[in-house]
């Protein structure tokens, strides 16, 4: 033992430690294995959590939609019922719903005086000989091509539980809002006759006075005053909508079908949203293909229009005697809509010439009919063009070429059948964007487009506040590109 306790004796030999792959890698591998197991367990719990949320949100959902998507008086009739589930799944669904709601843009809808909403419907009814009910909110919007403003109004009045997936959420406190929706039925207002109402006991309705009263009311609201209404949204689908007060609302987001009657400093693709007219003809539910479409080209509508629309008469002269083409004059009526619907459903191509304005509901009737639109309108603007490539669903023909005898029919006859079917297939993919009564359809897409304007609204609002020398209300970013086009 002494030799191990000190002195000059021999030193004990220590066992040699030979480095091997196992001695170095095994601890690290063991640690990685444990880490991997932890990650797998976390993933499993996450999958279970998401599955519970989805199970709770969807399998027991019952939705009632209008029987006909093209019914003029159809609205949102949606009831969503969620069956009870286990508490963990209920908690998961609640969290998922909260996350979805938190990502939506907050919109405050003004509680306007009733004269600007249901009062307009009552005035329209009275101008056509109808009575005035005691409860105006029992009235339904009269069916016509401007019903988009009604669908937006109904959408914002639905319970949030029915608006799952919407890009916007309605808030009841304006302090929380990022956007402000003004639900004035501007398109219907300009259609109300200015003649004496009903039996003459009421004063004649004035669209101009109604517009001015609306702006006067808005100018008294603090949320309008803070940035001149830049973060406010108006529907202005008819070309004459808000025409008398356009200079006072031109900084706001306007929902329009085109810019034909707006100056470059009033409307633009930069700040406004192009929306579709609601289609008035029934949706085609048949199969893709040409076997039930013997007519090459179909058109039914007013032959004589104003301004650019005079081209219609020329097209009638060029096309009405062509074989494989049905070109008819017809005005709006139930019987004519039925005939037009049948004509579009049995034709390969549908003519869409310019009318009083560059856009009409005929374009959207064509799309839901899967009848390839042939658009003869040099200045047309179309909805949602950042999402839809219209070259895949329509044919655009310059006006000067379209009126040449034989040109248009020769062009269409040269298109092979398989290409026409491809047009139909593409229209089927995007058809929901032009349907107001369907889930994830036109209404949701309009709101999505509106939310994209929010960064510009914030930029312009902040810029206005710091400018020392004020510029005109609508700066150069609002210039309408169509005003600078050359023929």
């Amino acid at each position: 033992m002494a030799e191990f306790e000190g002195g000059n004796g021999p030193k004990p030999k220590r066992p040699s430690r030979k480095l091997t792959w196992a001695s170095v890698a095994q601890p690290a591998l063991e640690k990685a294995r444990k880490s991997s197991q932890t990650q797998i367990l976390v993933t499993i719990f996450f999958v279970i959590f998401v599955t519970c949320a989805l199970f709770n949100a969807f399998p027991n959902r019952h939705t009632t939609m209008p029987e006909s998507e093209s019914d003029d008086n159809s609205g949102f009739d949606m009831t969503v019922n969620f069956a009870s589930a286990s508490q963990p799944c209920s908690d998961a669904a609640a969290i998922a719903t909260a996350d979805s709601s938190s990502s939506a843009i907050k919109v405050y809808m003004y509680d306007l005086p009733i004269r600007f909403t249901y009062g307009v419907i009552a005035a329209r009814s009275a101008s056509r000989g109808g009575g005035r009910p005691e409860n105006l909110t029992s009235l339904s919007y009269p069916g016509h091509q401007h019903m988009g403003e009604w669908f937006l109004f109904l959408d914002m009045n639905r319970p949030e539980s029915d608006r799952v997936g919407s890009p916007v959420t309605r808030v009841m406190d304006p302090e929380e809002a990022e956007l402000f929706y003004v639900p004035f039925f501007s398109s219907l207002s300009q259609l109300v006759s200015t003649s004496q109402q009903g039996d003459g006991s009421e004063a004649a309705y004035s669209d101009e006075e109604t517009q001015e009263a609306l702006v006067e009311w808005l100018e008294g609201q603090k949320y309008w005053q803070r940035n001149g209404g830049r973060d406010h949204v108006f529907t202005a689908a008819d070309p004459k909508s808000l025409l008398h007060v356009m200079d006072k609302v031109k900084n706001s987001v306007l929902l329009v079908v085109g810019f034909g009657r707006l100056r470059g400093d009033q409307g633009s693709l930069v700040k406004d949203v192009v929306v579709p007219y609601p289609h008035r003809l029934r949706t085609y539910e048949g199969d893709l293909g040409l076997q039930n479409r013997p007519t090459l080209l179909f058109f039914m509508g007013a032959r004589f229009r104003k301004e650019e629309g005079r081209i219609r008469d020329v097209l009638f002269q060029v096309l009405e005697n062509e074989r494989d083409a049905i070109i008819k004059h017809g005005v709006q009526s139930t019987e004519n809509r039925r005939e037009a619907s049948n004509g579009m459903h049995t034709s390969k191509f549908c003519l869409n010439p310019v009318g009083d304005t560059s856009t009409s509901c005929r374009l959207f009737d064509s799309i839901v009919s899967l009848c390839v639109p042939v658009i003869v309108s040099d200045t047309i603007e179309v909805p949602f063009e950042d999402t839809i490539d219209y070259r895949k669903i329509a044919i655009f023909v310059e006006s000067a070429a379209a009126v040449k005898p034989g040109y248009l029919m020769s062009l269409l006859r040269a298109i092979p059948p398989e290409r026409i079917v491809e047009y139909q297939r593409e229209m089927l993919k995007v058809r929901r964007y032009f349907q107001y009564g369907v889930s994830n359809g036109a209404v949701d897409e309009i709101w999505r487009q509106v939310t994209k304007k929010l960064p510009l609204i914030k930029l312009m609002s902040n810029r206005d506040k710091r400018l020392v020398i004020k510029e005109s209300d609508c700066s150069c970013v609002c210039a309408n590109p169509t005003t600078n086009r050359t023929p």
Side-chain angles (χ1 to χ4, degrees), residues 183-247:
F184 171 48
F185 298 152
S186 61
S187 295
L188 183 63
S189 179
Q190 67 84 29
L191 292 176
V192 177
S193 172
T194 57
S195 62
Q196 200 74 8
Q197 303 293 291
D199 59 2
S201 60
E202 298 182 53
Y205 182 89
S206 170
D207 176 42
E208 180 175 357
E209 290 179 3
T210 304
Q211 292 180 33
E212 291 173 348
L214 172 71
V215 171
E216 182 180 356
W217 185 88
L218 283 171
E219 288 177 340
Q221 309 301 310
K222 61 179 289 189
Y223 302 101
W224 175 272
Q225 296 170 2
R226 65 185 182 184
N227 60 12
R230 285 195 186 276
D231 51 3
H232 286 53
V233 181
F234 293 84
T235 55
D238 188 272
K240 297 179 182 178
S241 299
L242 300 173
L243 196 60
H244 300 291
V245 295
M246 186 55 67
D247 281 332

Coordinates of all heavy atoms in Angstrom, one line a residue, residues 183-247:
P183 N -74.2 52.3 -45.3 CA -75.1 51.5 -46.1 C -76.3 52.2 -46.7 O -77.5 51.9 -46.6 CB -75.7 50.5 -45.0 CG -75.7 51.4 -43.7 CD -74.5 52.3 -43.9
F184 N -76.0 53.3 -47.4 CA -77.0 54.1 -48.2 C -77.2 53.4 -49.5 O -76.3 53.0 -50.2 CB -76.4 55.5 -48.4 CG -77.3 56.3 -49.4 CD1 -78.7 56.4 -49.2 CD2 -76.7 57.0 -50.4 CE1 -79.4 57.1 -50.1 CE2 -77.4 57.8 -51.3 CZ -78.8 57.8 -51.1
F185 N -78.5 53.1 -49.8 CA -78.9 52.5 -51.0 C -78.9 53.5 -52.2 O -79.9 53.9 -52.7 CB -80.3 51.8 -50.9 CG -80.3 50.8 -49.9 CD1 -81.5 50.5 -49.2 CD2 -79.2 50.0 -49.5 CE1 -81.6 49.5 -48.2 CE2 -79.3 49.0 -48.5 CZ -80.5 48.8 -47.9
S186 N -77.7 53.9 -52.6 CA -77.5 55.0 -53.5 C -78.0 54.6 -54.9 O -78.5 55.5 -55.6 CB -76.0 55.3 -53.6 OG -75.2 54.2 -54.0
S187 N -77.8 53.4 -55.3 CA -78.2 53.0 -56.7 C -79.8 53.0 -56.8 O -80.4 53.4 -57.8 CB -77.7 51.6 -57.1 OG -76.3 51.7 -57.2
L188 N -80.4 52.4 -55.7 CA -81.9 52.4 -55.7 C -82.4 53.8 -55.6 O -83.5 54.1 -56.3 CB -82.4 51.5 -54.6 CG -83.9 51.4 -54.5 CD1 -84.4 50.6 -55.7 CD2 -84.3 50.6 -53.2
S189 N -81.8 54.7 -54.9 CA -82.2 56.0 -54.7 C -82.4 56.8 -56.0 O -83.4 57.5 -56.3 CB -81.3 56.8 -53.8 OG -81.7 58.1 -53.6
Q190 N -81.4 56.6 -56.9 CA -81.5 57.4 -58.1 C -82.5 56.8 -59.1 O -82.8 57.4 -60.1 CB -80.1 57.5 -58.8 CG -79.5 56.2 -59.3 CD -80.0 55.8 -60.7 OE1 -80.3 56.7 -61.5 NE2 -80.0 54.5 -60.9
L191 N -83.0 55.6 -58.8 CA -84.1 55.0 -59.6 C -85.5 55.4 -59.2 O -86.4 55.2 -59.9 CB -84.0 53.5 -59.6 CG -82.7 52.8 -60.3 CD1 -82.7 51.3 -60.1 CD2 -82.7 53.2 -61.8
V192 N -85.6 56.0 -58.0 CA -86.9 56.4 -57.5 C -87.4 57.5 -58.4 O -86.8 58.5 -58.6 CB -86.8 56.8 -56.0 CG1 -88.2 57.3 -55.6 CG2 -86.4 55.6 -55.2
S193 N -88.7 57.4 -58.8 CA -89.3 58.4 -59.6 C -89.5 59.7 -58.8 O -89.8 59.6 -57.6 CB -90.7 58.0 -60.1 OG -91.4 59.0 -60.7
T194 N -89.3 60.9 -59.4 CA -89.4 62.1 -58.7 C -90.9 62.6 -58.7 O -91.2 63.7 -58.3 CB -88.5 63.2 -59.3 OG1 -88.8 63.3 -60.7 CG2 -87.0 62.8 -59.1
S195 N -91.8 61.8 -59.3 CA -93.2 62.2 -59.3 C -93.8 62.1 -57.9 O -93.2 61.6 -57.0 CB -93.9 61.3 -60.3 OG -93.9 60.0 -59.9
Q196 N -95.0 62.6 -57.8 CA -95.7 62.6 -56.5 C -95.8 61.1 -56.0 O -96.1 60.2 -56.8 CB -97.1 63.2 -56.6 CG -97.7 63.7 -55.3 CD -97.0 64.9 -54.8 OE1 -96.2 65.5 -55.6 NE2 -97.4 65.3 -53.6
Q197 N -95.6 60.9 -54.7 CA -95.6 59.6 -54.1 C -97.0 59.1 -53.8 O -97.8 59.8 -53.2 CB -94.8 59.6 -52.8 CG -93.4 60.1 -53.0 CD -92.5 59.1 -53.8 OE1 -92.2 58.1 -53.4 NE2 -92.2 59.6 -55.0
G198 N -97.3 57.9 -54.3 CA -98.6 57.3 -53.9 C -99.8 58.1 -54.3 O -100.0 58.5 -55.4
D199 N -100.6 58.5 -53.3 CA -101.8 59.2 -53.5 C -101.6 60.7 -53.4 O -102.6 61.5 -53.4 CB -102.9 58.8 -52.4 CG -102.4 59.0 -51.0 OD1 -101.3 59.6 -50.9 OD2 -103.1 58.7 -50.1
G200 N -100.4 61.1 -53.4 CA -100.1 62.6 -53.4 C -100.0 63.2 -52.0 O -99.8 64.4 -51.8
S201 N -100.2 62.3 -51.0 CA -100.1 62.8 -49.6 C -98.7 63.1 -49.1 O -98.5 63.7 -48.1 CB -100.8 61.8 -48.6 OG -100.1 60.6 -48.7
E202 N -97.7 62.5 -49.8 CA -96.3 62.7 -49.5 C -95.6 63.6 -50.5 O -96.0 63.6 -51.7 CB -95.6 61.4 -49.4 CG -96.2 60.5 -48.3 CD -95.4 59.2 -48.2 OE1 -94.2 59.2 -48.1 OE2 -96.0 58.1 -48.3
A203 N -94.6 64.2 -50.1 CA -93.8 65.1 -51.0 C -93.1 64.2 -52.0 O -92.8 63.0 -51.7 CB -92.8 65.9 -50.2
A204 N -92.8 64.7 -53.1 CA -92.0 64.0 -54.1 C -90.6 63.7 -53.6 O -90.0 64.5 -52.9 CB -92.0 64.8 -55.4
Y205 N -90.2 62.5 -54.0 CA -88.8 62.1 -53.5 C -87.8 62.7 -54.4 O -87.9 62.8 -55.6 CB -88.7 60.6 -53.6 CG -87.4 60.0 -53.1 CD1 -87.2 59.6 -51.8 CD2 -86.3 59.8 -54.0 CE1 -86.0 59.1 -51.4 CE2 -85.1 59.3 -53.6 CZ -85.0 58.9 -52.3 OH -83.8 58.4 -51.8
S206 N -86.7 63.2 -53.8 CA -85.6 63.8 -54.5 C -84.3 63.0 -54.2 O -83.9 63.1 -53.0 CB -85.5 65.3 -54.2 OG -84.2 65.8 -54.7
D207 N -83.7 62.4 -55.2 CA -82.5 61.7 -54.9 C -81.4 62.7 -54.6 O -80.5 62.5 -53.7 CB -82.1 60.9 -56.2 CG -80.7 60.3 -56.1 OD1 -80.4 59.7 -55.0 OD2 -80.0 60.3 -57.1
E208 N -81.4 63.9 -55.3 CA -80.3 64.9 -55.0 C -80.4 65.3 -53.6 O -79.4 65.4 -52.9 CB -80.5 66.0 -55.9 CG -79.5 67.1 -55.7 CD -79.6 68.3 -56.8 OE1 -80.4 68.1 -57.7 OE2 -78.8 69.2 -56.6
E209 N -81.6 65.6 -53.1 CA -81.8 66.1 -51.7 C -81.4 65.0 -50.7 O -80.8 65.3 -49.6 CB -83.2 66.5 -51.4 CG -83.6 67.8 -52.2 CD -85.0 68.2 -51.9 OE1 -85.7 67.5 -51.1 OE2 -85.5 69.2 -52.5
T210 N -81.7 63.8 -51.0 CA -81.3 62.6 -50.2 C -79.8 62.5 -50.1 O -79.2 62.3 -49.0 CB -82.0 61.3 -50.7 OG1 -83.4 61.5 -50.8 CG2 -81.7 60.2 -49.7
Q211 N -79.1 62.6 -51.2 CA -77.6 62.5 -51.2 C -77.0 63.6 -50.3 O -76.1 63.4 -49.5 CB -77.1 62.6 -52.6 CG -77.4 61.5 -53.5 CD -76.9 61.6 -54.9 OE1 -75.8 62.2 -55.1 NE2 -77.6 61.1 -55.9
E212 N -77.5 64.8 -50.5 CA -77.0 66.0 -49.8 C -77.3 65.8 -48.3 O -76.4 66.2 -47.4 CB -77.6 67.3 -50.3 CG -77.1 67.6 -51.7 CD -77.8 68.8 -52.3 OE1 -78.9 69.2 -51.7 OE2 -77.4 69.3 -53.4
A213 N -78.4 65.3 -47.9 CA -78.8 65.1 -46.5 C -77.9 64.1 -45.9 O -77.4 64.2 -44.7 CB -80.2 64.7 -46.4
L214 N -77.5 63.0 -46.7 CA -76.6 62.0 -46.2 C -75.2 62.6 -45.9 O -74.7 62.3 -44.8 CB -76.5 60.9 -47.2 CG -75.4 59.8 -46.9 CD1 -75.8 58.9 -45.7 CD2 -75.1 59.0 -48.1
V215 N -74.7 63.4 -46.8 CA -73.4 63.9 -46.6 C -73.4 64.9 -45.4 O -72.4 64.9 -44.6 CB -72.9 64.6 -47.9 CG1 -71.6 65.4 -47.6 CG2 -72.6 63.6 -49.0
E216 N -74.5 65.7 -45.3 CA -74.6 66.6 -44.1 C -74.6 65.8 -42.8 O -73.9 66.2 -41.8 CB -75.9 67.4 -44.3 CG -76.0 68.4 -43.1 CD -77.3 69.2 -43.3 OE1 -78.0 69.0 -44.3 OE2 -77.6 70.0 -42.4
W217 N -75.2 64.7 -42.8 CA -75.3 63.8 -41.6 C -73.9 63.3 -41.3 O -73.4 63.3 -40.2 CB -76.3 62.7 -41.8 CG -76.5 61.8 -40.6 CD1 -77.4 62.0 -39.6 CD2 -75.7 60.6 -40.2 NE1 -77.2 61.0 -38.6 CE2 -76.3 60.2 -39.0 CE3 -74.7 59.9 -40.9 CZ2 -75.8 59.0 -38.4 CZ3 -74.2 58.8 -40.2 CH2 -74.8 58.3 -39.0
L218 N -73.2 62.8 -42.3 CA -71.8 62.2 -42.2 C -70.8 63.3 -41.7 O -70.0 63.0 -40.8 CB -71.4 61.6 -43.5 CG -71.9 60.3 -43.9 CD1 -71.5 59.9 -45.3 CD2 -71.5 59.2 -42.9
E219 N -70.9 64.5 -42.2 CA -70.0 65.5 -41.9 C -70.1 65.9 -40.4 O -69.2 66.6 -39.8 CB -70.2 66.8 -42.8 CG -69.7 66.5 -44.2 CD -70.0 67.7 -45.1 OE1 -70.9 68.5 -44.8 OE2 -69.3 67.8 -46.2
G220 N -71.2 65.6 -39.8 CA -71.4 65.8 -38.3 C -70.8 64.7 -37.5 O -70.8 64.8 -36.2
Q221 N -70.3 63.6 -38.1 CA -69.8 62.5 -37.4 C -68.3 62.6 -37.2 O -67.5 62.9 -38.1 CB -70.1 61.2 -38.1 CG -71.5 61.0 -38.5 CD -72.4 61.0 -37.3 OE1 -72.2 60.3 -36.3 NE2 -73.5 61.8 -37.4
K222 N -67.8 62.4 -36.0 CA -66.4 62.6 -35.6 C -65.5 61.7 -36.5 O -64.3 62.1 -36.8 CB -66.1 62.4 -34.1 CG -66.4 61.0 -33.7 CD -66.1 60.8 -32.2 CE -64.6 60.8 -31.9 NZ -64.3 60.4 -30.5
Y223 N -65.9 60.5 -36.8 CA -65.1 59.6 -37.5 C -65.0 59.9 -39.0 O -64.0 59.5 -39.7 CB -65.6 58.1 -37.3 CG -65.7 57.8 -35.9 CD1 -66.9 57.8 -35.2 CD2 -64.5 57.5 -35.2 CE1 -66.9 57.5 -33.8 CE2 -64.5 57.2 -33.8 CZ -65.8 57.2 -33.2 OH -65.8 56.9 -31.8
W224 N -65.9 60.7 -39.5 CA -65.8 61.2 -40.9 C -64.8 62.4 -40.8 O -64.0 62.6 -41.7 CB -67.1 61.7 -41.4 CG -67.1 62.3 -42.7 CD1 -66.9 63.7 -43.0 CD2 -67.2 61.7 -44.0 NE1 -66.9 63.9 -44.3 CE2 -67.1 62.8 -45.0 CE3 -67.3 60.4 -44.4 CZ2 -67.1 62.5 -46.4 CZ3 -67.4 60.2 -45.8 CH2 -67.3 61.2 -46.7
Q225 N -64.9 63.2 -39.8 CA -64.2 64.5 -39.7 C -62.6 64.2 -39.6 O -61.9 65.0 -40.1 CB -64.6 65.3 -38.5 CG -66.1 65.8 -38.6 CD -66.6 66.4 -37.3 OE1 -65.8 66.5 -36.3 NE2 -67.9 66.8 -37.3
R226 N -62.2 63.1 -39.0 CA -60.8 63.0 -38.7 C -59.9 62.8 -39.9 O -58.7 63.1 -39.8 CB -60.6 61.8 -37.7 CG -61.0 60.4 -38.2 CD -60.8 59.4 -37.1 NE -61.1 58.1 -37.5 CZ -61.1 57.0 -36.8 NH1 -60.9 57.2 -35.5 NH2 -61.4 55.8 -37.2
N227 N -60.5 62.3 -41.0 CA -59.6 62.2 -42.2 C -60.4 62.3 -43.5 O -60.1 61.8 -44.5 CB -58.8 60.8 -42.3 CG -59.8 59.6 -42.3 OD1 -61.0 59.7 -42.4 ND2 -59.2 58.5 -42.0
G228 N -61.5 63.1 -43.4 CA -62.3 63.4 -44.6 C -63.0 62.2 -45.2 O -63.2 62.2 -46.4
G229 N -63.2 61.2 -44.4 CA -63.9 60.0 -44.9 C -63.1 59.0 -45.7 O -63.6 58.2 -46.4
R230 N -61.8 59.1 -45.7 CA -60.9 58.2 -46.4 C -61.2 56.7 -46.1 O -61.0 55.9 -46.9 CB -59.5 58.5 -46.2 CG -59.0 59.8 -47.0 CD -57.5 59.9 -47.0 NE -57.0 61.1 -47.6 CZ -56.9 61.3 -48.9 NH1 -57.2 60.4 -49.8 NH2 -56.4 62.5 -49.3
D231 N -61.5 56.5 -44.8 CA -61.7 55.1 -44.4 C -63.1 54.7 -44.4 O -63.5 53.7 -43.8 CB -61.1 54.9 -43.0 CG -61.6 55.9 -42.0 OD1 -62.4 56.8 -42.4 OD2 -61.1 55.9 -40.9
H232 N -64.0 55.4 -45.2 CA -65.4 55.1 -45.4 C -65.6 54.4 -46.7 O -64.9 54.6 -47.7 CB -66.2 56.3 -45.3 CG -66.3 56.9 -43.9 ND1 -65.2 57.1 -43.1 CD2 -67.4 57.2 -43.1 CE1 -65.6 57.6 -41.9 NE2 -67.0 57.6 -41.9
V233 N -66.6 53.5 -46.7 CA -67.0 52.7 -47.9 C -68.4 53.0 -48.3 O -69.3 52.9 -47.5 CB -66.8 51.2 -47.6 CG1 -67.1 50.3 -48.8 CG2 -65.4 50.9 -47.1
F234 N -68.6 53.3 -49.6 CA -69.9 53.5 -50.2 C -70.1 52.6 -51.4 O -69.2 52.3 -52.1 CB -70.0 55.0 -50.7 CG -70.0 56.1 -49.7 CD1 -68.7 56.5 -49.3 CD2 -71.1 56.6 -49.3 CE1 -68.7 57.6 -48.4 CE2 -71.1 57.7 -48.3 CZ -69.9 58.2 -47.9
T235 N -71.4 52.2 -51.5 CA -71.7 51.5 -52.8 C -72.2 52.6 -53.8 O -73.0 53.5 -53.4 CB -72.9 50.5 -52.6 OG1 -74.0 51.1 -51.9 CG2 -72.4 49.3 -51.7
A236 N -71.7 52.5 -55.0 CA -72.1 53.4 -56.0 C -72.1 52.7 -57.4 O -71.4 53.0 -58.3 CB -71.1 54.6 -56.1
A237 N -72.9 51.6 -57.4 CA -72.9 50.7 -58.6 C -73.5 51.4 -59.8 O -73.0 51.2 -60.9 CB -73.7 49.4 -58.2
D238 N -74.6 52.1 -59.7 CA -75.2 52.8 -60.9 C -74.3 54.0 -61.2 O -73.8 54.6 -60.3 CB -76.6 53.2 -60.6 CG -77.3 53.7 -61.8 OD1 -77.1 54.9 -62.1 OD2 -77.9 52.9 -62.5
P239 N -74.1 54.2 -62.5 CA -73.2 55.3 -62.9 C -73.7 56.7 -62.3 O -72.9 57.6 -62.2 CB -73.3 55.3 -64.4 CG -73.7 53.9 -64.8 CD -74.5 53.4 -63.7
K240 N -75.0 56.8 -62.0 CA -75.5 58.1 -61.4 C -75.5 58.1 -59.9 O -75.9 59.1 -59.3 CB -76.9 58.3 -62.0 CG -77.0 58.5 -63.5 CD -78.4 58.8 -63.9 CE -78.5 58.9 -65.4 NZ -79.9 59.1 -65.9
S241 N -75.1 57.0 -59.3 CA -75.1 57.0 -57.8 C -74.1 58.0 -57.2 O -73.0 58.2 -57.7 CB -74.6 55.6 -57.3 OG -75.5 54.6 -57.8
L242 N -74.7 58.8 -56.2 CA -73.9 59.8 -55.5 C -73.3 60.9 -56.4 O -72.4 61.6 -56.0 CB -72.7 59.1 -54.7 CG -73.1 58.1 -53.7 CD1 -71.9 57.4 -53.2 CD2 -73.9 58.7 -52.6
L243 N -73.9 61.0 -57.6 CA -73.4 61.9 -58.6 C -73.4 63.4 -58.1 O -72.4 64.1 -58.3 CB -74.2 61.8 -59.9 CG -73.6 62.4 -61.1 CD1 -72.2 61.8 -61.5 CD2 -74.5 62.3 -62.3
H244 N -74.4 63.8 -57.3 CA -74.5 65.1 -56.9 C -73.5 65.5 -55.7 O -73.3 66.7 -55.5 CB -76.0 65.4 -56.4 CG -77.0 65.2 -57.4 ND1 -77.1 66.0 -58.5 CD2 -77.9 64.2 -57.6 CE1 -78.1 65.6 -59.3 NE2 -78.6 64.5 -58.8
V245 N -73.0 64.5 -55.0 CA -72.1 64.7 -53.9 C -70.8 64.1 -54.1 O -70.0 63.9 -53.2 CB -72.8 64.3 -52.6 CG1 -74.0 65.1 -52.3 CG2 -73.1 62.8 -52.6
M246 N -70.5 63.6 -55.3 CA -69.3 62.9 -55.6 C -68.0 63.6 -55.1 O -67.1 63.0 -54.6 CB -69.2 62.5 -57.1 CG -68.0 61.5 -57.4 SD -68.0 60.0 -56.4 CE -69.5 59.2 -57.0
D247 N -68.0 64.9 -55.3 CA -66.8 65.6 -54.9 C -66.6 65.6 -53.4 O -65.5 65.9 -52.9 CB -66.8 67.1 -55.4 CG -66.5 67.2 -56.9 OD1 -65.7 66.3 -57.4 OD2 -67.0 68.1 -57.6

